Amino acid sequence: DYKVLEFRRVLFRSRMKNALGGIGEVYLTIRSKRSGIGKVQIKVQGSLRTLDAITDDDADIPTGKVITVTQVVNDSILLVTAK
């Protein structure tokens, strides 16, 4: 049903925006200068989520590194920086 899909899309977008300023941990290495998408684990509205992430940092951010979310790109990808 279209209304259910639209509701889920709006809910997901809202959750992503709640990740702004959040602190998480890299799950899959994030390549430097937006050269590749990695994954981060971050708590959003009380639930641990694994989400796609990119960075503008000069160096790759390896698995296990602590990050901060600085922006949400295209409603589905987090822009992060190493802490």
Side-chain angles (χ1 to χ4, degrees):
D1 182 49
Y2 175 77
K3 288 183 180 182
V4 171
L5 291 175
E6 180 64 16
F7 175 76
R8 286 182 179 171
R9 189 173 61 82
V10 169
L11 184 61
F12 180 76
R13 191 179 311 152
S14 171
R15 284 185 184 148
M16 292 293 285
K17 288 182 180 169
N18 285 332
L20 274 173
I23 296 172
E25 184 176 313
V26 176
Y27 179 75
L28 183 62
T29 298
I30 305 166
R31 305 286 299 182
S32 63
K33 302 272 190 188
R34 298 190 188 202
S35 62
I37 296 175
K39 292 199 178 283
V40 296
Q41 290 189 319
I42 185 168
K43 265 198 171 175
V44 181
Q45 294 181 321
S47 296
L48 187 64
R49 306 269 181 212
T50 302
L51 302 168
D52 290 337
I54 57 175
T55 188
D56 286 331
D57 290 4
D58 292 330
D60 292 354
I61 308 176
T63 298
K65 184 80 173 166
V66 175
I67 53 87
T68 301
V69 178
T70 58
Q71 186 179 344
V72 177
V73 180
N74 296 334
D75 291 330
S76 62
I77 300 173
L78 301 178
L79 180 66
V80 303
T81 190
K83 270 194 81 73

